[in-house]
Amino acid sequence: MIILEIDYTTTLEFDSPVTDHYFLLRCVPVSRDGQTVVSRNLVVAPETQLVTSKDIFGNTSYQGRIDFPHASFSFHSTATVIVDREKGCRESCLPLYKYNTPLTRCSELMKKFLHSVFRDNILEVSVKNKMVRNCNMPLVAELLMSAIHERVEYVPGSTCVTTTAAEAFGAGRGVCQDYSHIFCSLCREAGIPARYVAGTSRGEGSTHAWAEYFVPDEEYVSNDGAAMEGRWFGIDCTRNRKVDDSYVSLACGRDYLDCKVDGGIFRGMTDQRMTVFVKTNEKEIRKNQDGTEKRKTLLNSENLEEQIKMLKLNNQQQQM
């Protein structure tokens, strides 16, 4: 378990003023199992009223409109989050996570690749018959992660937000969005529910994307209309590693379109330039000169579990 502080800024500059600017942001972390938001703040410029809503995936979005002419738009999000993913994230699995979308549709080439990954492996028959869901899913996920990381080259600018999993896989190159789409596609093809996650990880740069696969509490049979209980575990194919406490989720969904961090439309003929900077650091525990912990820190070592329970309870009450 660690405490992360996130500082996220995006600026849009227009060559000429625009108006009737509608925007939707998912740039602020939300409390869900595995992460607890202790504090958060969002500032938008030009200043305007924000409307908050929550979607079927549990994502919180902020919507607004700027109706007067403006030559720039920016948002600045800060948050402090307690992350503890050691045992996965307990959330129900929606039935729609079992099926691919237009962005994650599995091509014949990808299906052949899926089967080749498990050829001569004890899981080969299960994968072929789409029955991996009742097998060792963590093992399947890690084998897929390594195979995708080796098969696809990371090339910034080689794809765009409309690139499908099949297109990126066929070209053999992409970015974090493409790795995540490919992993979700192959998991679903093998019978494992999977979801796309947009968020940040410890360090400086921009936002990141990874995927999560679902492990049910018990064996399950095909039931298209029922949610399942279990845990989600993260896989970062881009970096070929499992997702740990250094990652913070901003939004999740079936694919990129379900959890775009920012988007919008405006009226005006103009070119635009976007600048994004995200800094995610572990919170430092400040100490007095005698080595004792300062009481202004977020948490102290005494009764830590009880403090986290109270924070989660406060967050739940605020979301009601």
Side-chain angles (χ1 to χ4, degrees):
M1 182 193 71
I2 62 176
I3 303 171
L4 295 175
E5 294 181 319
I6 301 168
D7 193 307
Y8 177 16
T9 302
T10 291
T11 302
L12 272 175
E13 295 179 321
F14 306 108
D15 287 344
S16 58
V18 301
T19 187
D20 290 336
H21 185 175
Y22 294 85
F23 60 87
L24 185 148
L25 307 174
R26 299 186 185 92
C27 57
V28 181
V30 296
S31 291
R32 53 201 323 159
D33 196 48
Q35 66 179 42
T36 301
V37 178
V38 179
S39 63
R40 58 187 175 189
N41 187 51
L42 175 62
V43 177
V44 174
E47 186 177 353
T48 188
Q49 183 177 359
L50 297 176
V51 177
T52 306
S53 61
K54 182 170 287 191
D55 62 23
I56 188 175
F57 306 106
N59 304 320
T60 297
S61 64
Y62 299 85
Q63 305 169 56
R65 178 193 178 198
I66 305 171
D67 56 4
F68 53 85
H70 55 286
S72 67
F73 170 74
S74 67
F75 60 86
H76 181 208
S77 166
T78 58
T80 301
V81 186
I82 303 171
V83 188
D84 186 2
R85 303 179 185 277
E86 182 179 359
K87 298 179 181 179
C89 303
R90 172 162 290 283
E91 286 186 19
S92 297
C93 175
L94 301 174
L96 47 79
Y97 285 129
K98 304 175 187 178
Y99 307 103
N100 276 316
T101 66
L103 274 179
T104 65
R105 187 171 293 124
C106 197
S107 66
E108 289 302 318
L109 180 63
M110 294 172 66
K111 293 176 184 178
K112 291 179 180 178
F113 172 79
L114 173 66
H115 297 150
S116 71
V117 172
F118 298 96
R119 188 172 294 130
D120 300 325
N121 186 291
I122 192 173
L123 295 167
E124 180 179 4
V125 175
S126 297
V127 171
K128 185 176 181 180
N129 296 322
K130 298 187 179 183
M131 290 298 294
V132 179
R133 58 194 182 193
N134 293 331
C135 296
N136 188 336
M137 291 192 216
L139 175 60
V140 173
E142 290 185 39
L143 288 172
L144 272 180
M145 173 186 68
S146 297
I148 293 169
H149 180 78
E150 183 177 348
R151 171 68 171 72
V152 180
E153 181 183 4
Y154 183 83
V155 181
S158 60
T159 59
C160 63
V161 295
T162 60
T163 301
T164 66
E167 290 169 342
F169 186 85
R173 56 183 181 271
V175 293
C176 59
Q177 171 187 304
D178 305 297
Y179 284 94
S180 303
H181 279 159
I182 293 169
F183 181 85
C184 287
S185 176
L186 293 175
C187 273
R188 294 165 184 165
E189 178 63 24
I192 301 177
R195 65 186 183 185
Y196 181 101
V197 184
T200 72
S201 60
R202 184 164 47 195
E204 296 182 358
S206 60
T207 54
H208 190 45
W210 59 92
E212 291 181 338
Y213 64 93
F214 182 74
V215 178
D217 290 338
E218 300 175 355
E219 252 187 42
Y220 66 90
V221 296
S222 180
N223 188 341
D224 295 344
M228 297 172 290
E229 297 302 318
R231 296 181 184 274
W232 292 93
F233 294 88
I235 287 288
D236 186 349
C237 293
T238 311
R239 299 169 179 169
N240 197 29
R241 57 176 290 188
K242 293 186 288 187
V243 171
D244 56 21
D245 291 352
S246 63
Y247 291 71
V248 174
S249 167
L250 295 176
C252 64
R254 296 165 299 176
D255 56 31
Y256 164 80
L257 293 177
D258 285 336
C259 42
K260 292 175 62 177
V261 175
D262 57 89
I265 58 173
F266 53 78
R267 186 188 301 275
M269 297 294 291
T270 183
D271 290 329
Q272 56 181 314
R273 294 175 300 279
M274 176 182 286
T275 304
V276 179
F277 182 74
V278 184
K279 181 170 66 175
T280 303
N281 292 329
E282 187 170 356
K283 183 176 178 65
E284 294 183 2
I285 303 299
R286 299 181 179 179
K287 295 182 178 297
N288 296 311
Q289 291 183 350
D290 61 0
T292 59
E293 195 173 290
K294 287 187 176 181
R295 289 305 175 184
K296 289 186 178 180
T297 56
L298 176 65
L299 296 173
N300 57 67
S301 57
E302 299 176 3
N303 301 319
L304 186 59
E305 292 186 2
E306 190 64 31
Q307 293 174 70
I308 294 175
K309 287 181 181 179
M310 290 300 298
L311 288 170
K312 289 182 178 180
L313 178 61
N314 289 338
N315 274 288
Q316 290 172 358
Q317 292 174 343
Q318 291 173 8
Q319 295 173 12
M320 293 178 63

